[in-house]
């Protein structure tokens, strides 16, 4: 008898891992609960004990994606260096994630835009809180609007660079140069000056 690839209780994690691989291979359109059950070696109905339908699976993947990207950003912030060095590492981590998991990144921000599940909003909020912390502590004299615009511009710029690389429009090395140029421009801009808290 073939050994099952999971222990009772971690089927959800196995299904999410398989779903992440399917996203990388064939995008969102390739995802189905029936196929995931086959890949995990369980009955067709087994995934429904964790995901009532395909949409609940997509929502869980979006939440997981935000959690993973937040961990990558926190890790990038953990190293030494000034603001420019730290944000440079964050930018590379963000772009690497968006290239390697392009379909997941698209799914994440589509799910956030719908405002459906609170857990996705919370996971996305954790990511942007981490980015906010990288700008320094907020102060009474701080420009909160500039900070929020800076974070959105950062995300939009990095995702745009990643999309160019993922689509083959530019090479990854050229993408790295664009990341460096973007961060130099953003941090040195009037917006960057208003958004960053001096420490």
């Amino acid at each position: 008898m073939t050994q099952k690839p999971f222990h009772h209780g971690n089927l959800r994690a196995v299904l999410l891992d398989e779903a992440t691989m399917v996203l990388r291979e064939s995008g969102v359109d390739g995802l189905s609960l029936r196929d995931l059950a086959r890949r995990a070696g369980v009955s067709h109905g087994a995934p429904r004990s964790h995901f009532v339908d395909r949409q609940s699976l997509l929502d869980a993947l979006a939440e997981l994606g935000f959690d993973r990207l937040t961990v990558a950003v926190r890790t990038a912030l953990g190293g030494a260096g000034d603001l420019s060095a730290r944000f440079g590492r964050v930018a590379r981590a963000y772009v690497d994630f968006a290239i390697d998991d392009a379909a997941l990144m698209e799914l994440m921000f589509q799910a956030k835009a719908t405002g459906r599940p609170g857990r996705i909003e919370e996971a996305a909020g954790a990511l942007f809180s981490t980015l906010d912390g990288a700008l320094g502590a907020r102060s009474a004299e701080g420009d909160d609007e500039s900070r929020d615009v800076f974070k959105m511009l950062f995300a939009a710029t990095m995702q745009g660079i990643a999309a160019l690389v993922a689509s083959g429009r530019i090479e990854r090395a050229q993408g790295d140069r664009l990341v460096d140029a973007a961060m130099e421009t953003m941090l040195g801009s009037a917006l960057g000056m208003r958004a960053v808290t001096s420490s």
Side-chain angles (χ1 to χ4, degrees), residues 3-179:
Q3 181 72 30
K4 294 292 185 186
F6 60 89
H7 298 291
H8 182 72
N10 76 338
L11 176 58
R12 186 178 191 278
V14 170
L15 291 170
L16 287 173
D17 285 346
E18 292 291 341
T20 300
M21 286 190 277
V22 172
L23 274 178
R24 290 174 180 164
E25 294 164 5
S26 52
V28 174
D29 290 343
L31 278 174
S32 75
L33 291 174
R34 177 178 285 268
D35 182 59
L36 289 180
R38 180 188 60 76
R39 290 173 66 115
V42 297
S43 69
H44 294 322
R48 294 196 182 273
S49 62
H50 298 283
F51 308 108
V52 296
D53 56 21
R54 184 173 181 272
Q55 187 58 59
S56 67
L57 169 68
L58 296 179
D59 290 343
L61 280 169
E63 181 186 352
L64 177 65
F66 277 115
D67 289 344
R68 285 179 45 208
L69 182 53
T70 299
V71 169
V73 169
R74 284 178 180 154
T75 300
L77 285 171
D82 60 10
L83 180 74
S84 179
R86 292 197 312 272
F87 251 101
R89 291 194 302 269
V90 168
R92 293 289 180 93
Y94 199 106
V95 169
D96 286 347
F97 181 94
I99 292 170
D100 296 337
D101 283 297
L104 178 57
M105 182 69 104
E106 184 177 354
L107 174 64
M108 288 157 54
F109 282 90
Q110 282 177 349
K112 182 181 182 301
T114 66
R116 278 193 314 274
R119 286 185 301 191
I120 293 175
E121 284 297 317
E122 290 171 11
L127 171 62
F128 282 90
S129 291
T130 302
L131 289 174
D132 188 80
L135 293 171
R138 288 182 182 258
S139 65
E141 301 79 26
D143 186 340
D144 288 351
E145 182 179 358
S146 291
R147 290 171 76 99
D148 291 340
V149 171
F150 185 93
K151 289 181 291 182
M152 288 188 286
L153 181 61
F154 172 85
T157 303
M158 296 310 131
Q159 285 174 228
I161 294 170
L164 289 173
V165 176
S167 66
R169 296 284 300 277
I170 62 175
E171 297 292 329
R172 196 149 186 167
Q174 189 176 357
D176 289 342
R177 291 194 293 274
L178 284 177
V179 168

